[in-house]
Amino acid sequence: MSVLPHLLFFSSSPSAASRRIFPAAVLSNRSFSRTLELSPLLLATAAAAGPCFSCSRSLRRRTISSCSVMAPNLQVPIAEDVLSQARAYWVSRSLIAWNTNVDDYSVYLYASKGAKLMVMETGIEGHDVKFQLELDECGLPENVTEKFPHIMNYKAFKVPCAMDVKNILKCQLAIVAFSDDGQLNNATGLQLPGVLDDMFAYNGPLGAVFSKDAIRLYLWAPTAHVVNVFLYKDPSGGKPFKCLQLEERNGVWSALGPKSWEGCYYVYEVLVYHPSTSQVETCIVNDPYARGISSDGMRTLLVDIDCENLKPTDWDKLVYEKPDLKSFSDISLYELHIRDFSASDGSVHPDFQGGYLAFTCEDSAGIVHLKRLRNAGLTHVHLLPSFHFAGVDDNKENWKSIDYVEMEKLPPDSDKQQSAVESIKDKDGYNWGYNPVLWGVPKGSYATNPNGPCRILEFRKMIQALNRIGLRVVLDVVYNHLHGSGPNDETSVLDKVVPGYYLRRNSDGFIEHSTCMNNTASEHFMVERLILDDLLCWAVAYKVDGFRFDLMGHIMKSTMMKAKYALQSLSVDANGVDGTKIYIYGEGWDFGEVANNMRGINSSQFNISGTGIGCFNDRIRDAVLGGSPFGHPLQQGFVTGLSLQPNGHDHGDKPITERMLSSSAEHIQVGLAANLRDFVLTSHSGEPMKGCEIVTHSGVPVAYALSPTETVNYVSAHDNETLFDIVSLKTPMEISIDDRCRINHLATSIIALSQGIPFFHAGDEMLRSKSLDRDSFNSGDWFNRLDFSYESNNWGVGLPPREKNEKNWPLMKPRLANPSFKPQKHHIHAAVANFEDMLKIRYSSPLFRLRTANATQERVRFHNVGPSWVPGSIVMSIEDGHEGRPGMAQLDPIYSFIVVVFNSSPTEVSLSIPALTTRRLQLHPIQMKSRDDLVKKASYERASGCFTIPQRTTSVFVEGRRN
């Protein structure tokens, strides 16, 4: 079977408003249930398979006899689809919560094993059991409202002690209220995660467990009627050589098999009631704990990932080869897509291009570039999703491609390139990968052979190769949603195994889609457990050095804290991993159904502070560039000309733009101080203010962090336009390409020299362009190309794809058509060299990487502040102590004082800073040798404390220690 590519859009941007929100699954409005069908797979193979199918033949007899079709002679006094909804919550073994008016009403619970419940004129028919429920006047207990705060005001109903809850939970359920005269007043289905957690929370083995002589399979599926396993010799096609019915014990199904199964494939057949169809369904599904799969993504590989044959040479010694990391404050992050890295790199072997093994090609242009950045100080490569995701066929022979020769002939502002890319976008080899199917398996399209265990070995070789060139590796994990749901979607896994449990649902029982598709519910015990188990697998089995959590705000804070503790508890002796070196961070956006802690305390920016977990800082991004990714594309910011060099967009009159510019400078200063909540600086009004007292235009506090490593500063990422593209949009049409390149560098230098964790999008240091595409998740190699030969930055390869960009084509077309916008090779070389300089400067002194909030407040100061500030300039000083003198400790053996001046003005500025007079400052030695002749003109006059800084330049001055 092949994975059908659909619903492929994903963009992890920090706003619900920017997302394409897919509608909830349309639920059937059936008045009666169909007869249960036996699995077509089972029917097709029963005759050939012999006695091992006896369990399923008896199952067929049972299900057919118990599920005969009922006549739909129905008159409905309430909404016809009422039983397709689930507005009540079974929250524990003894309690059901329902937001209904029950004064003078009798409430009953109905259950039908064969899913035959029907709303009749006289009430509910088709049930196997019926129980009356008693109103609990005490209401819902605290432990329930803490777990489900969105239902805290619901009424509570007692479940009778005599009820066989374990078996009733396998049924179609309805809760119904009748008036005194017997009229049906209200009815609905039930959501079950609470009671499933209460009764079936499980910490034992799951997945395939290997021992010396046997393999045992475990599947958590407490609502399933029957679970069978089919085993195959081959990754696709053919008939199963074995079928077994698993045995259930307290919701966990298991089967024992011989060690000879290793290397074979299997799928589960789960017979289970599914609330999305209101029927008992027969679902063919992968193991949620799969560690290997077939190339079609539809069979699980029985593979022991601890097997020596799947380890590169000296794999178990890698922990001792990893690059040194003394503190998380020393981290710098480089966000890279696996395919982008080498798909267009001619120096990589064709079989390795776009895949894991490209990172093992030591002399390729891409690896040479990474080594160059590492030698300048870069510490971590952040890889976009590399688990098994939908949207890209694992079989490369099925891919389609465009004609590059013909595309190169087209004008830079043509719409034909995007049309060609759009025509094959779901059939090529490209996708960012934010379409999770199975979290715990490496993606097969990046492997040289997607079948068998090849992907496991090659993934490990990639990690090992990056570690050996001095770079640690972060994985982008996407636990906030899943690509598929329902019983019929081939990419659906978890929702087939325990329907209605893994995915978060709204008050009507329909799946939440605020993350763009099928939100998961980490507040449910077994969802959280799967997340933690998956993280530990990647950390231990693949020796990953960190994790970036996509839409982390949709994950509960308690889950993130458990993840941090579990990872950082790993030890070299016990696990072959030093967990204290594993850094985790993510997107703390607060929106959707979890906003304002509506589903519990979530991992939003403000909630996560104080945990040591990093959060992306969108405040510094918006202040540096202007507006936000969701505002007008011409809205300017600190580096793009706001107030100082207008682009024609109506920002307001001069006083307004001046206030906007000073506000942007404040936000940047807070970011430069690690976005610390309690950092005190002087505002543009001259008043001292804490970072949390300075607010955005929407009234939200700018600062949220309590320690520097909780802030991840950035100006661009895979989402939205590249840095070069956004600069090209926001700056005036008439400025030169030289100026645009300087602005690009100015923006990256703000991030590189900030306290906290700096984050860079791969290619920003090479002026990377996506031809102005704001969302290139499925725009193919054409728009996403990286050129490590520095020949081109990919600007002007056509108008970007219509779907996300067409409304801005009128702005884009004249820019793309204008040859002066395109950088030349010397511009790209200069940009890379300047970026290297900034990294070298950052790592030339520990003062740029302060470890605590106290150290930051004590040592970092901002000058040129208050009402008399010189617009467009930020002056930051960082002071060190002196050995043997009272006061602050000495951190830097070379420099005792550092001053950084950011000048975003289109002209040279002179800044007299009285507090910095008599300092023995000189331009940083790295900048004195820079390829940038302009920065060499920056100067400092000791007597007056006057700094003279060239236009659009970042200058760093240092005071060396006396001998």
Side-chain angles (χ1 to χ4, degrees), residues 575-593:
N575 313 105
V577 172
D578 183 357
T580 65
K581 307 292 187 184
I582 295 175
Y583 180 61
I584 59 178
Y585 59 102
E587 296 175 301
W589 324 132
D590 192 36
F591 68 96
E593 76 283 357

Side-chain angles (χ1 to χ4, degrees), residues 31 71-80 118-123 184:
S31 59
N73 185 16
L74 179 62
Q75 296 181 12
V76 185
I78 56 177
E80 292 182 356
M118 295 180 293
V119 181
M120 303 296 289
E121 189 175 37
T122 55
L184 191 154

Side-chain angles (χ1 to χ4, degrees), residues 34-90:
R34 65 170 173 83
T35 303
L36 288 178
E37 296 177 355
L38 194 61
S39 161
L41 175 61
L42 194 56
L43 288 171
T45 56
C52 71
F53 280 85
S54 60
C55 64
S56 293
R57 285 199 296 270
S58 65
L59 166 64
R60 183 186 182 195
R61 288 194 296 270
R62 289 196 304 271
T63 55
I64 291 177
S65 63
S66 64
C67 299
S68 56
V69 177
M70 300 183 66
N73 185 16
L74 179 62
Q75 296 181 12
V76 185
I78 56 177
E80 292 182 356
D81 64 349
V82 67
L83 296 188
S84 294
Q85 298 178 353
R87 293 178 285 106
Y89 297 73
W90 199 333

